[in-house]
Amino acid sequence: MRSILVTGATGGIGAAVAHRFAEAGDRIAVHYVSNREGAEATLRGLPGRGHTLVSGDIGDADGARGIVDAALEELGTIDVLVCNAGIAPSAANRHVIGETSYSDWAAVFRQMFDVNLLGAANLAWAVATHLIERRAPGAIVNIGSRGAFRGEPEHPAYAASKAGLHALGQSLAVALAPHDISVTSVAPGFVATPRQLPKLTGAEGEALRAQSPFGRVGTPDEIAAAVFWLASPEAAWCSGTILDANGASHLRS
C-alpha cells in the first residue's frame, strides 16, 4: 500500500487518477483549491480506506508546501506525487498579441506560470525532500500537455508553462535518480472531461474528434492508466520520459 498525493482531484483526470490508485489498494490525498464539493465527491467514490482531503493554493509557495504538509499529517507518508492541478486554456484567459492589452498579457503569464510550473516545482521539492529524508523510493508524475509541442497560438502562456513543466521533470529525473525517485510527465491531447463537454457536444466537437485518426478524443481513465504505470516501480527505468497520450493527433520524434 502506497500513499499518493493527487493535486486537482475534484474531477476529470485528477479524479480518474485518484480512483486508479485507490483500486490498487493505495491511500489517496485528494487535493482541491476551492471546489470542496467536487473533492468530496471524488473521495466518496474511492474504493478502499484511509483516503483524505487536503486543500491549498498551489500558485502560492507557502500554500504548495502546506499541501504536502497536510497530506503528510493525514497519511503519514507520501510515496507518489501526481501534479495534475493547473490552469487550462479557456475563453476567459485567451491572450493573443495584437488583441490583448499588455497588463492582461503579463497577468495571464504570471498566473499560468505560478500554478502550472512554479507550483509543481514547489510541490516536487517538498515531496522529494520527504522521500530523501525517509530514504525511500518514490515517483513524481506531472500532467503536461500536447500543447507544449504543437503550440497554442491563442494560449501561449499555457503552452510555455507546460513546456517548462516537461523540462522541469527531466531535470528532476536526473537529480533525483540517485535517491531512487523517478520523475516523468504525461502529455495528453484533448480529453473528454466534464469541463470539456460543451465543446465536444457543440460546433467544435467534430473537429476535435477528427484531430485523432481514431476519430475520438481521449478519456480520463486512459490518462490515469498511463500515470499509474509511470508511477510503478516497473517504470522507474523510464524516468525522464514525456509520454504522449494524444491518440496520434500530434507526432514528434
Side-chain angles (χ1 to χ4, degrees):
M1 177 187 294
R2 297 178 297 176
S3 298
I4 319 295
L5 171 57
V6 183
T7 66
T10 58
I13 292 173
V17 167
H19 197 273
R20 181 66 184 83
F21 280 99
E23 284 181 328
D26 296 324
R27 297 182 304 154
I28 316 300
V30 175
H31 164 263
Y32 69 98
V33 178
S34 58
N35 184 9
R36 184 179 179 91
E37 183 178 352
E40 288 177 340
T42 297
L43 188 68
R44 287 193 301 270
L46 296 180
R49 298 180 180 179
H51 313 304
T52 190
L53 296 180
V54 295
S55 180
D57 181 4
I58 289 175
D60 174 79
D62 290 336
R65 191 170 186 180
I67 291 164
V68 175
D69 288 343
L72 286 171
E73 184 175 349
E74 294 294 327
L75 299 178
T77 60
I78 297 174
D79 301 298
V80 176
L81 166 66
V82 181
C83 286
N84 171 69
I87 300 174
S90 70
N93 59 34
R94 180 178 181 273
H95 49 290
V96 179
I97 293 180
E99 302 176 17
T100 304
S101 70
Y102 179 72
S103 60
D104 287 346
W105 174 269
V108 170
F109 265 85
R110 181 76 269 167
Q111 185 183 39
M112 286 278 188
F113 272 69
D114 279 348
V115 175
N116 294 358
L117 178 55
L118 299 181
N122 293 333
L123 289 165
W125 181 93
V127 171
T129 298
H130 161 71
L131 288 167
I132 291 168
E133 289 175 350
R134 281 174 56 205
R135 297 187 178 183
I140 297 171
V141 184
N142 296 315
I143 305 300
S145 174
R146 171 187 68 178
F149 303 112
R150 73 167 194 167
E152 296 284 351
E154 296 186 349
H155 298 90
Y158 174 78
S161 69
K162 291 299 188 178
L165 182 62
H166 294 164
L168 169 70
Q170 292 187 318
S171 294
L172 293 181
V174 177
L176 296 176
H179 302 286
D180 289 327
I181 301 169
S182 70
V183 186
T184 55
S185 299
V186 179
F190 201 93
V191 178
T193 63
R195 184 177 59 84
Q196 300 291 7
L197 186 60
K199 288 184 178 180
L200 289 171
T201 57
E204 297 178 79
E206 184 176 350
L208 288 170
R209 289 183 286 272
Q211 289 178 0
S212 166
F214 287 97
R216 64 175 181 87
V217 299
T219 69
D221 287 343
E222 288 173 321
I223 307 305
V227 171
F228 183 79
W229 181 74
L230 287 172
S232 69
E234 293 81 4
W237 199 241
C238 293
S239 190
T241 290
I242 303 167
L243 177 61
D244 293 317
N246 65 47
S249 63
H250 182 77
L251 304 176
R252 62 192 178 93
S253 59

